[in-house]
Amino acid sequence: MFNLPTDAAVHSIETLLYSISTILYLPVLLGIAALVLHMLVCFGTFGAEWLERRRGVRVLVATAKQEMAAVLTAQEGEPGLDARLERLVQRADANGVRRLDAVRFVVRVGPALGLMGTLIPMGISLAGLAQGNLPKMAESMTTAFTATVVGLACSVSAYVLSLVREHWLRTDLTEIAYVAESHLAAQDHKPHLVRAGA
């Protein structure tokens, strides 16, 4: 008799959690679909950048060179050339990392959404099984396994893209740091190692 309040509380909590997971079902599926669209955009951007690099065009390096050329002439009250070049190098680093993060986050988010997209339909399918609704169970299980495959596929693709982009970024930052050091040497400044890193 004393277990009745406890059983009722547990049942209420279970019902609440099931309701929350059911509510999250549609947002999770939409999130997986959005992730696929995001990866298509990333592949398009990657392909365009790869073609540019094949032609010898590196946007990050070209932009940094233009900005460095603009700050070579010191204005009154501005910091020294080494500080201004350091700021430009760090800004290029931040811009490159920001573009890289657009791919990196899919490596973590993809499996998480895939797992959620698997477990929620499995709970729904088990509820359908308890009610004897086998077609609903089969449909939910199909969605569950599809969500897992799509989430993992997005994650693996993003990981490969992030590796290539990280290599490009390190190469670009090395070139930018070299250009900055060259400007410092040309201005008769003592060589100063400008930091760069992804």
Side-chain angles (χ1 to χ4, degrees), residues 82-168:
D82 55 347
R84 285 177 285 145
L85 291 178
E86 173 77 15
R87 183 175 61 181
L88 290 179
V89 171
Q90 296 303 321
R91 185 186 303 166
D93 187 4
N95 291 337
V97 170
R98 189 181 306 114
R99 295 179 60 187
L100 187 59
D101 286 341
V103 179
R104 277 177 174 170
F105 93 98
V106 181
V107 178
R108 296 294 182 87
V109 175
L113 285 179
L115 181 61
M116 292 177 66
T118 300
L119 297 180
I120 294 175
M122 287 181 68
I124 296 175
S125 68
L126 291 176
L129 179 63
Q131 298 173 0
N133 191 347
L134 293 181
K136 180 179 180 181
M137 175 185 174
E139 180 181 354
S140 297
M141 292 300 292
T142 301
T143 304
F145 291 123
T146 301
T148 302
V149 171
V150 173
L152 291 177
C154 289
S155 177
V156 171
S157 301
Y159 179 70
V160 173
L161 289 186
S162 67
L163 287 180
V164 178
R165 281 191 171 279
E166 185 174 348
H167 172 70
W168 287 351

Side-chain angles (χ1 to χ4, degrees), residues 1-15:
M1 180 178 296
F2 292 101
N3 289 333
L4 290 178
T6 303
D7 293 341
V10 170
H11 180 70
S12 298
I13 294 174
E14 290 175 344
T15 303

Side-chain angles (χ1 to χ4, degrees), residues 59-72:
V59 177
L60 192 65
V61 176
T63 302
K65 286 181 177 180
Q66 292 176 357
E67 293 177 347
M68 288 180 189
V71 301
L72 286 179

